[in-house]
Amino acid sequence: RRLLADGTEERFLRNQFILTLDIIKSTDSAVAAEFKTRIVSIFDSFKEREQIYYDTSGNDAFVACTAEPQVLWDLAAKLAIEGRSAKKLGDPFGGTRKGLSQGSVTIQIKSDGRTIVKDSPTLMPHPLPRAVGILAGADLCACSDGIDPNDVLVVEFGAGQPAAKDLKIELRSDRIADVEQKHFKGRCFLVHLFRRDVISVGRAPK
């Protein structure tokens, strides 16, 4: 930990599990604007009982991190349930895309209370762009009949191995999805948050 000149408290956290999410079909959606506030409220409720950090800088992609993967699984499931209930006929809002990855991050707590989750400049590759990039894996759900992307957690391969035991999920090697985006190219598992099984899919579109 260190204190910066402007009063910011900075903390370096190693080997964190990272939950990223964004809103599905947020353009021209009144529900999406309301749901952003709901996301922060859900994060706040988890922070009251768990050691988590989350970004409150107002970016379109939301980020939370902790050393305990089960906490982020519970958070993702809660967001999926809330996303289901928030959908309205005629509004394009489709819930959220959610991803689980792992890496070391820097937390900045500003003097006004805002929290910012950042990459550590000395570590390469930067984990946060990759953590956002894996969200593209949720788009593969369109290839699977009856699978709602809102109900899926995209688990990056490297994070899946240490998290699987705690999450009580079987990450089948024959159901690995290849995801390739601007900031991420690699393997992921698409895990159904309510069935706790891995969805069989192919490659995400570029």
Side-chain angles (χ1 to χ4, degrees):
R1 300 187 183 188
R2 64 174 180 164
L3 188 65
L4 305 184
D6 63 355
T8 298
E9 181 184 343
E10 189 172 81
R11 306 175 184 179
F12 178 65
L13 303 179
R14 295 182 182 275
N15 299 324
Q16 295 288 290
F17 287 95
I18 303 169
L19 178 72
T20 47
L21 64 141
D22 61 12
I23 294 177
I24 300 170
K25 297 182 179 178
S26 61
T27 304
D28 300 323
S29 168
V31 174
E34 298 170 359
F35 200 72
K36 287 183 179 181
T37 302
R38 182 61 183 146
I39 290 171
V40 175
S41 176
I42 293 170
F43 280 0
D44 285 342
S45 69
F46 272 74
K47 187 178 181 180
E48 290 177 358
R49 63 180 189 272
E50 304 289 353
Q51 183 68 27
I52 69 168
Y53 296 93
Y54 54 91
D55 193 293
T56 57
S57 61
N59 294 327
D60 288 338
F62 293 83
V63 180
C65 61
T66 180
E68 303 296 333
Q70 184 64 55
V71 174
L72 298 183
W73 176 279
D74 294 342
L75 181 52
K78 175 67 173 176
L79 288 161
I81 292 169
E82 294 291 328
R84 280 181 173 183
S85 64
K87 294 179 183 180
K88 292 183 179 179
L89 184 65
D91 191 287
F93 171 78
T96 55
R97 301 190 302 173
K98 294 166 281 290
L100 181 69
S101 59
Q102 193 175 30
S104 298
V105 297
T106 296
I107 307 296
Q108 288 188 340
I109 303 174
K110 299 293 186 178
S111 57
D112 60 6
R114 290 180 297 121
T115 300
I116 299 175
V117 181
K118 301 177 61 176
D119 288 306
S120 298
T122 58
L123 294 180
M124 298 292 178
H126 289 155
L128 293 183
R130 292 173 56 81
V132 174
I134 68 172
L135 295 176
D139 300 334
L140 288 168
C141 295
C143 303
S144 301
D145 294 338
I147 303 296
D148 185 345
N150 175 71
D151 296 345
V152 170
L153 180 65
V154 182
V155 181
E156 192 271 325
F157 184 85
Q161 302 308 307
K165 183 177 180 180
D166 286 348
L167 299 181
K168 296 181 174 61
I169 54 176
E170 180 185 359
L171 299 179
R172 293 178 50 178
S173 59
D174 62 335
R175 293 192 173 183
I176 296 175
D178 294 318
V179 180
E180 183 174 352
Q181 287 293 302
K182 180 180 179 180
H183 295 295
F184 179 82
K185 180 180 180 181
R187 299 179 295 173
C188 296
F189 298 97
L190 274 64
V191 184
H192 199 288
L193 283 162
F194 305 110
R195 300 199 309 243
R196 286 184 179 262
D197 63 349
V198 178
I199 301 166
S200 180
V201 291
R203 181 182 296 273
K206 294 184 180 180

